[in-house]
Amino acid sequence: MNTKKRIDLHNHTTLCNHATGTTEEYIQRAIELKIDVFGFSEHAPMNFDEKYRLKLKDKELYENDILSLKEKYKNDIEILLGYEVDYLKGDYILPEVINSKVDYLIGSVHFINDGWGFDNPEFIGQYKNKDINTIWEDYFEAITNMIKCGKFDIVGHLDLIKVFKFLPTKDIKTIAHTTLKEIKKSNMVVEINSAGYRKPIGEQYPSKELLELCYELNIPITFSSDAHSIDQVGLNYEKASSLAKEIGYKKCTYFQQRDKIETSF
Ligand SMILES: [Zn+2]
Ligand SMILES: [Zn+2]
């Protein structure tokens, strides 16, 4: 059977202190939108920027909440449990997170150059301190290292560094070339993340040109809204999925206990 599925694997909860709405409200909204597979991927616990992520002491609470919703709504929607894990220089990634019994782990870079939160409007001033090409190269180097560490299933918002529309003068495909080859080698999946439509850049992550490169390299994709509120659940999915189709993608991927499942979309 080749049924089409609507997938949304990257969503947050109030346990990270920068999201609103209950997990059950997210699920009800997802059902309303006819999403078939909906995954939570809370910002994983880490001894860095702790205020804006799940606390280690709440890890079980988070997991039990999602698992009980999974059971409660099993006839309406497939709910998945995951984490979005920050990759940054230093020994921050917790074995408790990496060894969790989850469906998938998203690897993301939100900090470069020794802890600069480059996607946070609060620290936007720091773009002035460094050459924009170097910033982009540093970012993609961090993504490459994240991929090489081999701990993750999904590349989170591949070109998040474009968030404020500070674009390099060098060719982006050249900057990202090594990263894309590394994704291919790793067998990881790239998410088409719709949060970018809500940001100054005004488009999905990754850009069309990078997505075309992913397609050429046969890199699988998944879909995510990166919702931090109920109204963001599934937002702009149509734009993201029609772009993927336009590029040539016919399948997308989700995970069950770290195993890949392919489906039409
Ligand atoms: Zn967040
Ligand atoms: Zn993120």
Side-chain angles (χ1 to χ4, degrees):
M1 211 169 70
N2 193 22
T3 47
K4 288 185 179 183
K5 282 186 177 167
R6 178 168 171 178
I7 311 291
D8 191 341
L9 294 193
H10 185 157
N11 296 286
H12 294 278
T13 81
T14 51
L15 290 169
C16 69
N17 285 317
H18 62 276
T20 54
T22 67
T23 45
E24 188 151 19
E25 285 171 317
Y26 279 46
I27 292 304
Q28 284 163 353
R29 178 67 181 144
I31 293 169
E32 204 174 279
L33 292 169
K34 301 196 164 50
I35 292 171
D36 299 282
V37 183
F38 188 84
F40 286 96
S41 56
E42 189 52 291
H43 295 284
M46 181 176 273
N47 302 320
F48 185 88
D49 198 30
E50 286 163 282
K51 190 169 186 303
Y52 297 109
R53 60 181 71 250
L54 180 68
K55 308 265 176 296
L56 191 54
K57 69 167 180 58
D58 291 334
K59 186 171 175 287
E60 231 179 272
L61 178 81
Y62 164 69
E63 293 179 4
N64 289 340
D65 177 37
I66 306 307
L67 293 176
S68 69
L69 284 172
K70 182 186 179 86
E71 179 61 25
K72 182 171 175 184
Y73 289 95
K74 65 182 174 193
N75 297 324
D76 306 299
I77 191 167
E78 180 171 357
I79 298 175
L80 300 179
L81 173 64
Y83 283 105
E84 179 182 21
V85 184
D86 264 290
Y87 183 88
L88 70 165
K89 221 185 257 172
D91 218 2
Y92 289 107
I93 296 173
L94 298 176
E96 293 95 318
V97 170
I98 298 302
N99 301 325
S100 308
K101 275 198 179 153
V102 288
D103 293 302
Y104 57 88
L105 295 173
I106 301 174
S108 292
V109 172
H110 300 105
F111 302 93
I112 55 171
N113 302 155
D114 298 315
W116 171 37
F118 64 85
D119 72 327
N120 186 337
E122 221 181 297
F123 308 119
I124 196 169
Q126 291 191 41
Y127 279 90
K128 289 199 294 263
N129 300 342
K130 215 170 178 179
D131 170 58
I132 191 67
N133 290 318
T134 311
I135 291 173
W136 274 66
E137 284 160 355
D138 289 350
Y139 171 79
F140 275 99
E141 192 186 314
I143 291 277
T144 304
N145 291 335
M146 179 276 287
I147 295 157
K148 280 186 177 166
C149 88
K151 292 180 165 72
F152 309 112
D153 305 292
I154 299 172
V155 182
H157 35 62
L158 174 63
D159 56 358
L160 178 64
I161 193 68
K162 71 183 176 187
V163 57
F164 296 119
K165 228 177 168 176
F166 298 140
L167 304 177
T169 55
K170 283 189 188 174
D171 178 47
I172 292 173
K173 284 203 248 185
T174 309
I175 295 174
H177 183 74
T178 313
T179 306
L180 282 160
K181 283 203 310 198
E182 214 52 58
I183 298 174
K184 176 63 191 164
K185 247 201 271 177
S186 71
N187 284 318
M188 284 174 78
V189 172
V190 165
E191 66 168 2
I192 304 185
N193 182 315
S194 303
Y197 293 112
R198 320 190 288 259
K199 299 290 161 70
I201 187 66
E203 65 170 31
Q204 76 297 326
Y205 311 107
S207 65
K208 188 178 181 198
E209 64 170 355
L210 290 185
L211 212 46
E212 282 168 345
L213 266 184
C214 291
Y215 181 73
E216 278 168 36
L217 290 167
N218 224 343
I219 293 169
I221 51 161
T222 192
F223 292 101
S224 67
S225 56
D226 208 342
H228 286 72
S229 60
I230 299 155
D231 61 302
Q232 292 173 353
V233 169
L235 191 62
N236 288 314
Y237 170 77
E238 291 76 13
K239 282 191 204 169
S241 60
S242 49
L243 176 67
K245 280 178 193 153
E246 186 192 321
I247 287 169
Y249 276 105
K250 295 193 168 51
K251 302 270 177 188
C252 71
T253 301
Y254 62 101
F255 293 84
Q256 283 172 347
Q257 287 160 38
R258 314 293 301 267
D259 285 333
K260 282 199 189 94
I261 315 236
E262 255 201 349
T263 176
S264 306
F265 63 94

